[in-house]
Amino acid sequence: MKLSLRQRLIITHLFLLVGVTVAAGLIITYEMQRYYKSRLLTQLKTQLDGIEYFLGTTSFSFDHDRLNYEQLAGFARASQMRLTLIDSAGIVLFESNVAPDSLRFIENHLNRPEVQMALQDGFGRDERLSATVQQRLFYAAKRIKLPTKHTGFLARMQVIRLAIPLADVERALQEMRWSIFAGGGLALLIIGFVSFMVSSRLTTPIRELAKAAESVKRGDLEAHFKHDADDELGELADLLNEMLAKLREDLEKIQKLETMRSQFLGNVSHELRTPIFAVQGYLETLMESKVENPQLQKDFIEKAHRQAARLNNLLADLIDISRIESGEMKMSFRYFDLHDWLKKQAAEMQTGAHEYSVVLALANSESNRLLSVLGDRERLTQVMTNLVNNAIKYNVPGGKVDVGYRESHDHVEIFVADTGRGIPAEHLPRIFERFYRVDKERSRAVGGTGLGLAIVKHIVEAHDSEVKVQSEIGKGSIFSFVLKKK
């Protein structure tokens, strides 16, 4: 049978209490028995000394005087003890519980343990069942030597022995045992009730936690682990709530990633389909139609080439995105001269700027000072190429693009500013998403893949930085990020 935690706690407490009660009863009984017997032995020694003095100072003669014998027997009975007088040969000379004419029937006491000890050491003790009176008795014997003035019976006496029934001692010990066990039983009931209350208080929060966990198991991620305690269970509930909150966040991220994956696959399919169908259409026209006009043939070929180039750019960007997100694209961080690098970037992109009638300028062109920054030069070139190309292609005729930097204490901010049409505020949070376009028609018309800014974001973040954008409709946009300087 499966026991609950509360039942196990109660049973454990009860078993412990029973064990403690039994152990305490045994120990107390043993110690009390030692105590009583020690007191009894002390008492018997005192009385033996008293009897020795009494016999030594009293003129008793038991040879022919029954009255004196009865007086001594009465004295023993009044003391509630059994008095025995024994000679050196073990013959019983006096027995307070036996009549004088029956003494001859009492067996020799020389081999009694207490008598032997008394004869050898002066004092002896023993406890056993008496063969004479059929009772468990505690014996104490003392070797004595009375003054020489005594004759007859007293002159022969060598050992005084007292015996007291152990029944009274055992009765007192038995009463004590029952008292201990009765108290233990009462304590058992009290502890059982207290254990039930305490275990209920301890296990109720656990059952609530288990109930909430079962809800989570069934898929209810809105469940909450309630508690009203500041103890370990409260800490556990808080930890479980934190774990559940993280699980909800992770699930939201997984769902978002799944949505993004589905959108990504759809976007990739759409983006690939357009140039492939265009190239296929141009080639089929050239193959199946008799296009005799050389200029028309050239136009078809050029259009097919542009679509093929667009397809190539798209595949290259897809490969870069895949390598970045999988961690395959490794960064090689080195210090390099920022001013010289930006100057080369501006020079290499002048042709594209002229094509779109845009002025491309280096804002820090007059500076010749060496300024070293840390980064992967090749990947940062890819970042600048994307940002400057976007600034040129989405500008207005006669517009301007400025490339430059601003120094701070330990960083350098690199920026690309344009005087283009600007980006509407509602689009700014999403412009770094893959395949997201503010102006879809213009983006495709200028050959954009929709992945450039996503690549920029990943590369810049790999440099422990962030791409920031400021834009205003009709005035233009500024993209910036920072690098550590030497």
Side-chain angles (χ1 to χ4, degrees), residues 363-364 384 402-406 413-417 478-480:
N364 309 84
M384 292 302 295
D402 286 325
V403 177
Y405 59 86
R406 288 184 286 267
E413 181 186 32
I414 302 166
F415 64 86
V416 176
I478 302 175
F479 287 80
S480 65

Side-chain angles (χ1 to χ4, degrees), residues 189-204:
L189 294 176
I190 296 174
I191 294 297
F193 176 74
V194 173
S195 296
F196 176 81
M197 299 301 295
V198 172
S199 60
S200 297
R201 182 175 178 82
L202 289 175
T203 56
T204 297

Side-chain angles (χ1 to χ4, degrees), residues 280-297:
Q280 183 180 1
Y282 292 136
L283 293 178
E284 286 177 354
T285 301
L286 290 172
M287 290 172 60
E288 298 175 2
S289 302
K290 295 181 180 180
V291 181
E292 297 178 355
N293 186 339
Q295 184 61 43
L296 185 58
Q297 290 181 349

